[in-house]
Amino acid sequence: MKSYVTNFLGYLKTERGLSPRTLQAYRRDLEQLLVYLGAEGIDRPEKVTQHHVRAFIAQRHRQGLSGKSLQRLLSAIRSMFRWMLREGFAEHNPATPVRAPKSPRHLPATLDADTIGQLLDIPCDTPLAIRDKAIMELFYSSGLRLSELATLRWEQVDLGSGMVTVTGKGNRSRMVPVGRIAAKALLEWRKVWAKFAPLEEPHVFVSQRGNPIATRTIQARIRHWAQRQGMPQSIYPHLLRHSFASHMLESSGDLRAVQELLGHADISTTQIYTHLDFQHLASVYDKAHPRARKK
């Protein structure tokens, strides 16, 4: 079996062009399989059954491997046997029917409207503060990703119609509205923007040196204002995006619209916010219904 693993990794390197880091992950996963199969006395592909693969996955699960890691492990095994089938080294793929345990889905944290208001109520007494307010207002107003905001260009912004066009994951473009307060903050930033950037600079948000702002700088500035405004928890850009999505869904109930606004390719990604909304409703129910309150 070891020679098949070596040849498969060679195929991944030369024909698939995978990165050294990815190859190392494949090697680590498949070597763990070899150790298990060796202990079971399995030395040839045709002797490997779905029972062996399922027992191996169960063993790694008992050892504490997460659902996500188990899925990656199974993917490596399936890929190798798929290659073996194509090359005539195996007669079946024993990993095809095996499914990894699902990972528990962690609900995203959100901020309530009052906390958002406290965070965004910053004194705009310097050009840097004006820029930072525009950044945070746009995050919460339009639900942008960090990378989308950092790479935003003035040509993508139409404050007249209150819209911005962003390019998200998978190089997919979408138009999202900009709220009245965020639009006002952007206009204020536009007035002082030239103090930082040369006229030919296309990016909306720039550093004090006039370069396109780095994502780490945005994260640091949001942390700075969260501390200054007395926030009781860690604040980060995606938390504002989560809050945007949760508040939009809570108010509208329109999951498809929220999916479009967030730029999710699959609505199942957006559905996590329905769980947040349900938690809110369940909390209200528990507090309001006389027979629902816990003793």
Side-chain angles (χ1 to χ4, degrees):
M1 286 293 296
K2 188 174 182 179
S3 63
Y4 291 115
V5 170
T6 301
N7 291 336
F8 173 61
L9 292 171
Y11 155 77
L12 294 178
K13 181 180 180 180
T14 57
E15 295 191 34
R16 294 276 303 278
L18 298 188
S19 69
R21 186 174 179 178
T22 303
L23 287 170
Q24 185 59 34
Y26 269 96
R27 182 184 302 278
R28 184 172 57 249
D29 289 342
L30 294 173
E31 284 178 350
Q32 291 168 354
L33 175 66
L34 290 181
V35 170
Y36 173 81
L37 293 177
E40 295 292 314
I42 306 297
D43 58 356
R44 298 186 62 80
E46 61 268 18
K47 293 182 179 181
V48 183
T49 67
Q50 63 176 280
H51 166 76
H52 294 120
V53 176
R54 188 173 285 111
F56 170 60
I57 293 298
Q59 180 192 78
R60 298 295 290 137
H61 189 218
R62 289 193 298 271
Q63 292 170 347
L65 214 63
S66 69
K68 188 174 182 179
S69 297
L70 290 172
Q71 288 169 7
R72 188 202 68 210
L73 184 56
L74 262 175
S75 177
I77 298 171
R78 286 194 196 103
S79 295
M80 183 177 72
F81 274 93
R82 198 157 47 236
W83 169 79
M84 285 183 176
L85 277 169
R86 190 170 63 248
E87 298 296 323
F89 300 140
E91 298 176 354
H92 68 290
N93 189 335
T96 299
V98 182
R99 294 291 176 266
K102 289 185 178 180
S103 298
R105 206 165 185 188
H106 299 289
L107 296 180
T110 61
L111 301 173
D112 59 42
D114 290 339
T115 304
I116 289 282
Q118 181 183 346
L119 173 66
L120 298 180
D121 187 23
I122 67 174
C124 293
D125 48 7
T126 66
L128 204 59
I130 293 172
R131 180 201 67 184
D132 294 346
K133 181 175 177 63
I135 285 174
M136 292 189 291
E137 289 284 4
L138 188 56
F139 266 132
Y140 179 60
S141 166
S142 305
L144 302 189
R145 297 181 178 93
L146 175 58
S147 59
E148 292 169 349
L149 186 137
T151 58
L152 190 67
R153 296 167 176 253
W154 284 115
E155 64 189 27
Q156 297 171 261
V157 179
D158 185 354
L159 294 179
S161 63
M163 301 292 289
V164 296
T165 303
V166 294
T167 302
K169 291 183 177 180
N171 207 32
R172 293 185 297 270
S173 293
R174 70 185 190 281
M175 293 182 67
V176 291
V178 179
R180 175 179 54 83
I181 298 176
K184 182 180 178 182
L186 280 169
L187 283 171
E188 292 300 315
W189 164 236
R190 183 64 168 165
K191 292 176 184 177
V192 299
W193 175 83
K195 294 182 179 180
F196 292 92
L199 291 176
E200 64 273 14
E201 173 57 53
H203 289 87
V204 174
F205 297 111
V206 294
S207 68
Q208 295 185 72
R209 295 183 178 181
N211 301 317
I213 196 167
T215 54
R216 287 186 179 181
T217 301
I218 296 174
Q219 293 167 327
R221 294 304 295 173
I222 291 178
R223 284 196 302 268
H224 163 81
W225 286 111
Q227 293 171 0
R228 182 165 170 176
Q229 296 297 93
M231 297 288 102
Q233 64 190 99
S234 174
I235 308 294
Y236 47 92
H238 224 63
L239 185 56
L240 297 177
R241 175 172 159 89
H242 288 322
S243 301
F244 159 83
S246 179
H247 296 169
M248 283 293 300
L249 187 59
E250 186 178 317
S251 299
S252 69
D254 193 333
L255 189 63
R256 286 286 181 186
V258 175
Q259 177 193 3
E260 291 295 324
L261 291 170
L262 292 173
H264 288 160
D266 191 337
I267 200 168
S268 64
T269 309
T270 319
Q271 283 174 333
I272 192 168
Y273 295 105
T274 64
H275 297 298
L276 286 172
D277 197 36
F278 177 78
Q279 282 189 336
H280 169 73
L281 292 174
S283 175
V284 171
Y285 177 85
D286 284 340
K287 291 176 182 177
H289 198 288
R291 292 189 180 274
R293 297 186 185 119
K294 295 180 179 178
K295 300 279 187 179

